[in-house]
Amino acid sequence: FRGQPLFAAVVGLEAMAQAAAAVSGATRPPAFEQVELRRPVAVGPGLSTTLRLAALVRAPGLVEVALRDRATGFAADHFRAVCRFPVNEEAARTADSAPSPALLPAGGARLAIDPPRDLYGGILFQSGRFRRLGGYRRLRATDCLADIVPDGQASWFGRYLPSGLLLGDPAARDAAIHGIQACIPQSQLLPIGVERIFAGRLAADEPLLLAARERRRDGDTFLYDLDILAADGSLRERWQGLRLRAVDRTRLPAIWSAPLLVPYLERRLQEMFAGVTLSIALEAAAPSETDADAEPSAPPGRLGRANSAAVVERLASSGPMPPRLRHRPDGRPEVPGGPQVSASHAAGLVLAIAGGESSGPIGCDLEAIVERPAETWRDLLGAERFALSELVARQPGERPDAAATRVWTAAEALHKAGSPAGAPLLLEAALEDGWLLLRSGSLRVASFAANLRELGGPCAIAIAALDPQSVAALEINPALASGVTPEPQIRPPQG
């Protein structure tokens, strides 16, 4: 991490389990409780250190363990945990049957994410024997289902040292932890603690699945529950209350795959639309849904419309039966009795968004960025919005065609959210990570440009939704609803 090798927390769990088993006489994996990863154990390249384990039996089958490092003089606990072993065979059978069914069902095709290409070496810093993610079957901002590939060849100890592992394959367990990183691709996460682990003995030659779901987020700390499953979906190990802390930014991909971009968009929108829940889908339309007669040189927003009903219905579904999508007379999609929805299309790719219960009007747009003469953009955008695109183009790293496409998509997203044609559109902020925030009355538009592998080049994405702070301001000053700021009231000084 940051160029320095770390002693993996999962190997620390193995060491603590072995120490606890030695003082208790246990032969099976323990359940871990109150796991605290207080300080990393870092070892400079080519150097070594000595670890010390202190284990104390507190009660029959209950052992408190601490892991310490010579680098801190063995004077500080780096890892701590309580190991609970079954005290008899009846308790062992009860412990084995304690975990409930898996969080997410096993099955489904892999998404178009290649971990060696899209994750490792960028978003994920793990290397060597720890690179065990095989792909994802589901990936959202708050849950994922991923494949962990087997590796029966890895050697973990020196040639003349005992090679037994009480907990089994540590790299598979580490992949289950760092596999969650793709749910928060913009932040580098490190584990800092776990409430409880129902540990199993993971076989190194068995393909496994990670099923994880976010329980809550507190600032830079994320709380997850995760299951490690066999290929048939049966439970191998369960982690309850894994705490992950964001410690740094990651190096985002130069070229995004659509399934990886989805959780990134959902996370950033959570931050830019505080209090508004937005779910996103970005999927290829079925071949039969694409309008093959569309004119490829048509202006933005006039490309052939893919049939996005299935994508929107899956996104808006909260149960086993997807809701039925219908279109209003003005063409806008809606789910009767369901959330607010919006959809857009570009070259056979469908972008869809769904709001939460109180999200209010929403809109989205997706367009490929192509070169056009300035006169063409002026005709498409109109004088005021073309001037806005020129302002955007002056931001660091922006090109004129990208800026114009971002303004176009912002206007389209506003229109889909119910904003009247020609409503004022203002640049609110240009953020360091390439996002633009624009505003029209009580609606805020978040704009992002990315190179998208499925489109073969750059594209612009715009999401429009109510800004809760603006809504509060409108309740105080209704004149802001039209996007017009009243003249300030100047009063003479008193006294």
Side-chain angles (χ1 to χ4, degrees), residues 20 23-24 26 30-31 57-64 82-88:
V23 296
S24 66
V57 177
R58 291 292 189 184
L62 192 67
V63 184
E64 187 175 349
V82 173
C83 294
R84 187 181 296 275
F85 295 93
V87 294
N88 52 48

Side-chain angles (χ1 to χ4, degrees), residues 207-228:
L208 298 168
L209 291 168
L210 154 69
R213 178 169 294 157
E214 183 179 302
R215 193 192 300 177
R216 69 173 183 271
R217 174 184 179 180
D218 298 319
D220 290 335
T221 301
F222 301 82
L223 193 69
Y224 268 80
D225 296 324
L226 71 88
D227 288 341
I228 301 176

Side-chain angles (χ1 to χ4, degrees), residues 300-327:
R302 301 293 186 267
L303 296 177
R305 296 299 183 180
N307 180 3
S308 59
V311 177
V312 176
E313 287 171 356
R314 284 195 299 272
L315 183 65
S317 175
S318 58
M321 293 297 294
R324 298 298 299 173
L325 183 74
R326 71 183 185 189
H327 289 80

Side-chain angles (χ1 to χ4, degrees), residues 369 389 391-404 406 434-436 447 449:
I369 296 173
S389 75
L391 175 62
V392 171
R394 292 199 289 271
Q395 305 304 316
E398 287 287 347
R399 296 184 296 106
D401 288 300
R406 295 179 77 165
W435 284 84
L436 295 179
S447 169

Side-chain angles (χ1 to χ4, degrees), residues 7 12 15-16 41 51-53 65-69 76-79:
F7 179 69
M16 290 192 289
V41 177
L51 301 181
R52 176 181 293 171
L53 288 129
V65 191
L67 184 148
R68 297 159 186 164
D69 181 16
D77 292 341
H78 287 248
F79 302 163

